[in-house]
Amino acid sequence: AQKITQTQPGMFVQEKEAVTLDCTYDTSDPSYGLFWYKQPSSGEMIFLIYQGSYDQQNATEGRYSLNFQKARKSANLVISASQLGDSAMYFCAMRDQGLVGFQKLVFGTGTRLLVSP
Amino acid sequence: EAQVTQNPRYLITVTGKKLTVTCSQNMNHEYMSWYRQDPGLGLRQIYYSMNVEVTDKGDVPEGYKVSRKEKRNFPLILESPSPNQTSLYFCASRASLSTDTQYFGPGTRLTVL
């Protein structure tokens, strides 16, 4: 079964600094996708970034980049130049293709990031 | 505006009283799903639907039902709610199997007394 592990319950970072949120995954399927979502205190889930298992390059979206290390099964999120508005819960998730047409999204337990002035 | 809407946003009910949480998307997406979020457990998939009249169980389907009679709507039904179904519920949709980004609704916070 697929599994996502986020070992950092909470992280602190100072404004303008970079921070890395850890995510490791476990799957036996060769085709999968990895996501990061942000959940601010208001509760909504905001899609940040996606990495496919066959993508050659690490995904980037503005200040967000995904450090994808396939052999180590890790997909860490790097936020550069942190802002106060980055304070939120962050979830790593994996989509597994499985059998044809089977779509399943598995989430980690999340990391709460607090950005201080 | 492209969005996923859920209603109600907040609901307090009592054990055994049937309820429905509605979910609607205006993006003509084929794939929709329901998740519940509990502290320390992240989000877990309850049910998903590949298209109209095609639904299947996720990780935690017990105590829930869904239907997909129209492409835009995917209601979550709790026939006899119990306190262990107190949770934050999210509906999500995605355009197709080849599209990876899932769009989430704003969430429904349900309390079952």
XYZ file of all heavy atoms in Angstrom, chain B residues 16-56:
338
model
N -27.623 9.499 14.338
C -28.715 8.817 13.671
C -29.567 9.656 12.737
O -30.409 9.102 12.014
N -29.365 10.944 12.715
C -30.189 11.803 11.852
C -29.526 11.953 10.483
O -28.483 12.612 10.357
C -30.376 13.169 12.503
C -31.336 14.062 11.753
C -31.567 15.366 12.490
C -32.547 16.239 11.731
N -32.762 17.536 12.429
N -30.145 11.379 9.486
C -29.570 11.367 8.130
C -29.237 12.761 7.639
O -30.000 13.709 7.857
C -30.559 10.706 7.166
C -30.065 10.614 5.729
C -31.081 9.941 4.828
C -30.600 9.907 3.376
N -31.589 9.249 2.490
N -28.089 12.879 6.973
C -27.713 14.170 6.423
C -26.999 13.982 5.089
O -26.452 12.910 4.794
C -26.826 14.939 7.406
C -25.448 14.385 7.714
C -24.399 14.962 6.776
C -25.060 14.668 9.157
N -27.025 15.046 4.309
C -26.342 15.067 3.015
C -25.489 16.324 2.925
O -25.955 17.420 3.229
C -27.352 15.064 1.852
O -28.132 13.860 1.916
C -26.627 15.116 0.510
N -24.252 16.149 2.521
C -23.368 17.270 2.234
C -23.238 17.359 0.714
O -22.852 16.380 0.063
C -21.978 17.096 2.875
C -21.123 18.332 2.615
C -22.102 16.838 4.366
N -23.590 18.493 0.172
C -23.565 18.616 -1.282
C -22.201 19.105 -1.763
O -21.484 19.806 -1.044
C -24.646 19.576 -1.785
O -24.378 20.886 -1.282
C -26.027 19.125 -1.326
N -21.865 18.708 -2.972
C -20.641 19.149 -3.619
C -20.957 19.405 -5.084
O -21.567 18.545 -5.747
C -19.545 18.096 -3.494
S -18.064 18.488 -4.471
N -20.538 20.535 -5.580
C -20.794 20.877 -6.977
C -19.566 21.557 -7.564
O -18.936 22.378 -6.899
C -22.013 21.801 -7.063
O -22.326 22.087 -8.401
N -19.246 21.194 -8.809
C -18.135 21.849 -9.495
C -18.604 22.355 -10.858
O -19.437 21.720 -11.511
C -16.927 20.908 -9.643
C -17.223 19.521 -10.162
C -17.101 19.369 -11.664
O -16.707 20.290 -12.372
N -17.439 18.180 -12.160
N -18.055 23.492 -11.253
C -18.497 24.134 -12.494
C -17.441 24.048 -13.587
O -17.420 24.867 -14.513
C -18.882 25.592 -12.226
C -17.713 26.422 -11.714
O -16.590 25.917 -11.580
N -17.965 27.682 -11.440
N -16.560 23.048 -13.488
C -15.445 22.950 -14.433
C -15.596 21.765 -15.386
O -14.664 21.430 -16.111
C -14.136 22.817 -13.634
C -13.856 24.048 -12.799
S -12.505 23.818 -11.609
C -13.363 22.995 -10.270
N -16.762 21.106 -15.348
C -17.013 19.949 -16.205
C -15.996 18.827 -15.966
O -15.634 18.085 -16.881
C -17.010 20.340 -17.694
C -17.755 19.320 -18.559
O -18.760 18.751 -18.134
N -17.260 19.079 -19.759
N -15.563 18.696 -14.716
C -14.576 17.679 -14.382
C -15.205 16.296 -14.307
O -16.338 16.134 -13.848
C -13.917 17.997 -13.031
C -12.923 19.111 -13.125
N -12.307 19.627 -12.020
C -12.437 19.793 -14.186
C -11.470 20.581 -12.397
N -11.544 20.703 -13.709
N -14.449 15.309 -14.746
C -14.925 13.933 -14.706
C -14.739 13.318 -13.316
O -15.575 12.598 -12.809
C -14.162 13.096 -15.737
C -14.459 13.489 -17.182
C -13.645 12.694 -18.176
O -12.754 11.939 -17.755
O -13.896 12.822 -19.376
N -13.623 13.571 -12.721
C -13.231 12.880 -11.499
C -13.545 13.737 -10.270
O -13.141 14.900 -10.191
C -11.736 12.578 -11.552
C -11.179 11.885 -10.339
C -11.196 10.500 -10.232
C -10.615 12.614 -9.293
C -10.671 9.859 -9.129
C -10.099 11.981 -8.181
C -10.128 10.596 -8.108
O -9.613 9.969 -7.010
N -14.283 13.148 -9.324
C -14.575 13.832 -8.060
C -14.355 12.871 -6.910
O -14.459 11.644 -7.087
C -16.023 14.354 -8.054
C -16.303 15.376 -9.151
S -17.978 16.037 -9.101
C -17.875 17.132 -7.669
N -14.051 13.422 -5.753
C -13.833 12.549 -4.598
C -14.156 13.279 -3.311
O -14.263 14.517 -3.283
C -12.382 12.039 -4.577
O -11.478 13.116 -4.537
N -14.317 12.512 -2.253
C -14.549 13.012 -0.910
C -13.435 12.538 0.005
O -13.017 11.369 -0.052
C -15.882 12.521 -0.353
C -17.060 13.329 -0.788
C -17.966 13.029 -1.768
C -17.464 14.595 -0.240
N -18.898 14.024 -1.873
C -18.627 14.991 -0.942
C -16.973 15.428 0.769
C -19.305 16.175 -0.673
C -17.639 16.599 1.034
C -18.784 16.971 0.317
N -12.996 13.478 0.877
C -11.999 13.165 1.879
C -12.505 13.623 3.242
O -13.301 14.548 3.345
C -10.682 13.905 1.603
C -10.005 13.526 0.320
C -10.332 14.148 -0.881
C -9.008 12.556 0.305
C -9.706 13.810 -2.059
C -8.366 12.213 -0.881
C -8.725 12.850 -2.051
O -8.101 12.507 -3.222
N -11.976 13.000 4.274
C -12.164 13.517 5.615
C -10.799 13.804 6.208
O -9.817 13.087 5.946
C -12.964 12.564 6.506
C -12.367 11.215 6.756
C -13.244 10.394 7.708
N -13.162 10.879 9.096
C -13.911 10.428 10.097
N -14.814 9.480 9.881
N -13.770 10.917 11.313
N -10.732 14.869 7.005
C -9.468 15.261 7.624
C -9.619 15.208 9.129
O -10.515 15.850 9.705
C -9.072 16.686 7.212
C -7.738 17.116 7.795
C -7.361 18.525 7.421
O -8.132 19.254 6.800
N -6.160 18.936 7.774
N -8.749 14.441 9.753
C -8.748 14.302 11.204
C -7.355 14.597 11.729
O -6.355 14.250 11.079
C -9.178 12.889 11.600
C -10.557 12.548 11.058
O -11.525 13.152 11.541
O -10.654 11.700 10.147
N -7.259 15.212 12.907
C -5.940 15.573 13.464
C -5.013 14.369 13.552
O -5.408 13.305 14.038
C -6.295 16.123 14.844
C -7.703 16.582 14.725
C -8.369 15.629 13.774
N -3.791 14.545 13.072
C -2.800 13.478 13.155
C -2.948 12.400 12.099
O -2.101 11.503 12.014
N -3.981 12.495 11.291
C -4.212 11.473 10.263
C -4.170 12.031 8.861
O -4.249 11.284 7.890
C -5.565 10.788 10.491
C -5.708 10.005 11.794
C -7.126 9.461 11.933
C -4.705 8.852 11.857
N -4.078 13.329 8.719
C -4.094 13.913 7.386
C -5.466 13.752 6.744
O -6.490 13.636 7.411
N -5.490 13.726 5.420
C -6.734 13.532 4.679
C -6.824 12.090 4.204
O -5.839 11.541 3.702
C -6.781 14.454 3.458
C -7.207 15.893 3.703
C -6.061 16.703 4.245
C -7.753 16.513 2.428
N -7.990 11.521 4.341
C -8.206 10.145 3.887
C -9.391 10.127 2.928
O -10.417 10.743 3.199
C -8.445 9.227 5.077
C -7.239 9.068 5.987
C -7.571 8.222 7.195
N -8.507 8.898 8.076
C -9.171 8.288 9.069
N -8.987 7.017 9.295
N -9.999 8.977 9.826
N -9.227 9.393 1.850
C -10.254 9.363 0.827
C -11.414 8.472 1.252
O -11.216 7.331 1.673
C -9.668 8.870 -0.485
C -10.577 9.043 -1.685
C -9.920 8.538 -2.955
O -9.496 7.398 -3.042
N -9.833 9.407 -3.948
N -12.634 8.979 1.101
C -13.827 8.230 1.490
C -14.387 7.482 0.275
O -14.550 6.266 0.288
C -14.902 9.172 2.059
C -14.346 9.970 3.241
C -16.136 8.385 2.472
C -15.265 11.077 3.714
N -14.713 8.230 -0.758
C -15.231 7.681 -2.005
C -14.707 8.539 -3.148
O -14.345 9.694 -2.961
C -16.770 7.738 -2.036
C -17.461 6.509 -1.544
C -17.889 6.416 -0.224
C -17.727 5.437 -2.402
C -18.561 5.272 0.238
C -18.387 4.298 -1.948
C -18.802 4.233 -0.629
O -19.454 3.114 -0.180
N -14.707 7.957 -4.336
C -14.397 8.745 -5.510
C -15.288 8.312 -6.665
O -15.921 7.246 -6.616
C -12.917 8.638 -5.890
C -12.462 7.273 -6.336
C -12.400 6.953 -7.690
C -12.058 6.318 -5.413
C -11.968 5.699 -8.104
C -11.623 5.067 -5.818
C -11.578 4.765 -7.162
O -11.151 3.524 -7.571
N -15.314 9.143 -7.696
C -16.151 8.879 -8.851
C -15.383 9.257 -10.112
O -14.847 10.355 -10.219
C -17.437 9.711 -8.781
O -18.144 9.641 -10.008
N -15.332 8.304 -11.038
C -14.608 8.537 -12.283
C -15.470 9.291 -13.299
O -14.943 9.932 -14.190
C -14.184 7.195 -12.889
C -13.382 6.333 -11.949
S -11.805 7.073 -11.542
C -10.948 6.801 -13.069
N -16.789 9.152 -13.161
C -17.692 9.843 -14.081
C -19.116 9.560 -13.612
O -19.328 8.898 -12.580
C -17.488 9.375 -15.526
C -17.748 10.494 -16.529
O -18.671 11.297 -16.343
N -16.956 10.539 -17.564
N -20.079 10.023 -14.361
C -21.482 9.817 -13.986
C -21.757 8.325 -13.816
O -21.357 7.507 -14.650
C -22.407 10.424 -15.059
C -23.871 10.100 -14.740
C -22.207 11.923 -15.146
N -22.404 7.999 -12.707
C -22.799 6.621 -12.369
C -21.614 5.680 -12.125
O -21.809 4.473 -12.043
C -23.709 6.028 -13.456
C -24.978 6.831 -13.732
C -25.975 6.798 -12.566
O -25.680 6.181 -11.526
O -27.046 7.425 -12.709
N -20.416 6.205 -11.993
C -19.245 5.374 -11.709
C -18.617 5.844 -10.404
O -18.013 6.927 -10.349
C -18.198 5.447 -12.840
C -17.010 4.539 -12.503
C -18.803 5.074 -14.170
N -18.792 5.057 -9.342
C -18.221 5.429 -8.047
C -17.496 4.223 -7.455
O -17.800 3.071 -7.801
C -19.298 5.900 -7.063
O -20.203 4.820 -6.792
C -20.080 7.080 -7.618
N -16.578 4.485 -6.538
C -15.881 3.390 -5.887
C -15.385 3.850 -4.519
O -15.262 5.058 -4.259
C -14.703 2.898 -6.726
C -14.351 1.452 -6.413
O -14.901 0.888 -5.426
O -13.520 0.871 -7.125
